[in-house]
Amino acid sequence: MARVHNFSAGPAALPLEVLEEAQAEFLDYAGTGMSVLEMSHRSAVYQAIIDDAEATLRRILRVPDTYRILFFQGGATLQFAGVPLNLMRTGRAGYVVSGNFAKKAWQEAQRYGDAHLLATSAETNFDRIPDLSSIAAAARDLDYVHICQNNTIFGTTVWDLPETGDTPLVADVSSCFLSFPLDIERYGLVYAGAQKNAGPAGVTVVIVRDDLIGEAPARADICPTYLSYRAQANAGSMYNTPNSFGIYLSGKVFHWVERTGGLAEMERRNREKAELLYGFLDGSKLFHGTADRASRSISNVTFRTDSPELDAAVIAGAAEHGIVGIKGHRLVGGMRASVYNAVSLESVRVLVDYLGRFEREHQESM
Ligand SMILES: *Cc1c(COP(=O)(O)O)cnc(C)c1O
């Protein structure tokens, strides 16, 4: 079996142990004589699976009892609507636009209310997190402040959460979810598509402070029942048929994180991998990182040469070494290595060795 060095930004590498466990259980889950794929979501066996996934996630992220954990379909993108529909009680919210997904969230919110632009780094093509120091004052009259904590395409992270006073902070944490510990009490709500770091595509986790979701969504007049956080909380994330297999597999990833040492260990490993790569880039004459140093992500490392033709040669040559998924997003160009939890230090070494060889061979040919 040949497994590649997979740096895909999402859907992304999953822990091999998780895939093997799922494979072993695939045809007959726990003596039921059927696959999880074939099982009623209303069965006691499935209820135990979803309860265990939620409880494991609650342990590893230390989610307080005052927060609900919900599983949705529809990706993080559906939550761009879910957040305003549920939380825009006075109709005014604030958005930090630090990348493409942040911008999409902001644009979607404008469909439902007054979505203020609080800060943006658009003028430098999102190579950094904008200055967030003045947000506290602006946040006072808002229903919430929305940030995208890790900008998957641009390789930047909000390392210092903005002060928002009593106004809830809402964060799209899709691409840094389970990459490092989060202090959940600093947020009113976080949401994450699982396919970056926590499971397969088709599962989105929403963690929301119970008092924020009220009796009904803010926009009960138009909010689909499916998207009502209160309705889903009351139904244990099974208002309708959930992504049953995706939640099962995500639960296995949560267990893998726990037995591998939890989120502190994930952070240690992710920093080690990212620093190896950034260290190489900082010492290189050919390659350079595209994100401002203070904003650098430990999930997505973006870099390039000064020539699109050379970038294309780097990407094509990588495939010959079993290195895949390093083509940068078209909005940035160049390369991007996503070094999520399931990507090994060994894979990053292979990538750095390859880039170093490419650079030497390039210099010799000059
Ligand atoms: C991938 C991603 C999204 C979009 O996720 P979908 O599951 O495709 O809706 C949104 N935000 C961030 C930060 C992402 O990384």
Side-chain angles (χ1 to χ4, degrees):
M1 180 183 61
R3 301 263 305 163
V4 293
H5 302 288
N6 184 359
F7 295 95
S8 173
L14 286 165
L16 183 58
E17 284 170 44
V18 165
L19 297 175
E20 284 172 343
E21 268 176 40
Q23 183 182 45
E25 296 171 349
F26 191 66
L27 298 180
D28 177 7
Y29 178 76
T32 57
M34 58 181 141
S35 173
V36 174
L37 284 169
E38 304 170 296
M39 180 179 291
S40 167
H41 62 294
R42 302 293 179 200
S43 63
V45 178
Y46 192 74
Q47 189 65 53
I49 290 173
I50 190 170
D51 287 349
D52 180 66
E54 183 185 332
T56 310
L57 180 58
R58 197 175 279 281
R59 282 196 307 277
I60 60 178
L61 251 185
R62 297 181 206 278
V63 179
D65 291 341
T66 46
Y67 287 72
R68 308 300 293 250
I69 297 178
L70 309 175
F71 296 107
F72 280 90
Q73 306 196 50
T77 301
L78 186 62
Q79 300 310 321
F80 296 167
V83 167
L85 285 169
N86 280 275
L87 302 188
M88 256 191 181
R89 297 211 176 265
T90 71
R92 287 159 49 84
Y95 279 74
V96 174
V97 174
S98 54
N100 199 48
F101 291 118
K103 186 172 167 193
K104 284 183 165 169
W106 175 52
Q107 287 169 335
E108 186 71 12
Q110 289 168 27
R111 305 184 61 210
Y112 306 113
D114 191 357
H116 286 271
L117 179 63
L118 294 175
T120 183
S121 47
E123 64 282 353
T124 54
N125 196 30
F126 303 121
D127 68 340
R128 67 198 62 208
I129 301 299
D131 178 14
L132 304 180
S133 56
S134 62
I135 283 187
R140 218 167 294 139
D141 299 321
L142 302 174
D143 292 323
Y144 60 86
V145 169
H146 182 282
I147 62 169
C148 178
Q149 193 156 346
N150 187 78
N151 297 281
T152 321
I153 293 173
F154 299 93
T156 63
T157 298
V158 177
W159 288 113
D160 295 311
L161 295 179
E163 291 300 333
T164 59
D166 291 334
T167 301
L169 180 64
V170 172
D172 175 355
V173 296
S174 293
S175 47
C176 58
F177 189 58
L178 310 185
S179 292
F180 48 81
L182 291 180
D183 182 0
I184 291 294
E185 287 185 316
R186 291 286 309 270
Y187 307 85
L189 184 153
V190 297
Y191 62 95
Q195 74 271 24
K196 311 294 163 65
N197 216 7
V203 176
T204 305
V205 177
V206 173
I207 301 174
V208 58
R209 216 173 67 210
D210 195 56
D211 66 287
L212 292 179
I213 60 181
E215 288 295 306
R219 296 299 309 274
D221 53 334
I222 53 168
C223 182
T225 310
Y226 175 82
L227 207 45
S228 158
Y229 295 156
R230 179 54 70 200
Q232 288 287 8
N234 288 343
S237 297
M238 294 204 281
Y239 174 73
N240 69 336
T241 316
N243 179 345
S244 52
F245 193 83
I247 293 168
Y248 153 82
L249 207 73
S250 300
K252 288 197 175 297
V253 175
F254 303 156
H255 275 288
W256 175 83
V257 168
E258 187 168 51
R259 69 173 179 266
T260 308
L263 296 183
E265 175 63 11
M266 293 300 122
E267 176 167 13
R268 190 195 66 73
R269 292 179 177 202
N270 292 330
R271 284 199 182 280
E272 190 175 23
K273 289 179 287 180
E275 279 164 16
L276 180 59
L277 207 35
Y278 286 126
F280 166 78
L281 295 171
D282 290 343
S284 169
K285 291 194 173 62
L286 181 64
F287 297 101
H288 49 89
T290 57
D292 182 66
R293 275 167 195 262
S295 302
R296 280 175 168 176
S297 168
I298 59 169
S299 303
N300 314 95
V301 177
T302 49
F303 58 101
R304 63 165 116 87
T305 69
D306 288 324
S307 139
E309 290 72 32
L310 267 185
D311 290 344
V314 171
I315 294 160
E320 290 164 25
H321 297 82
I323 298 166
V324 304
I326 63 163
K327 190 174 193 307
H329 192 280
R330 69 194 141 72
L331 294 174
V332 192
M335 282 71 69
R336 167 177 55 179
S338 297
V339 291
Y340 297 134
N341 290 346
V343 176
S344 68
L345 180 61
E346 180 52 27
S347 285
V348 178
R349 286 207 179 104
V350 169
L351 174 61
V352 166
D353 286 349
Y354 163 68
L355 295 174
R357 247 184 348 261
F358 187 98
E359 180 166 2
R360 281 193 300 279
E361 283 164 17
H362 174 71
Q363 277 161 351
E364 283 158 16
S365 72
M366 298 272 283

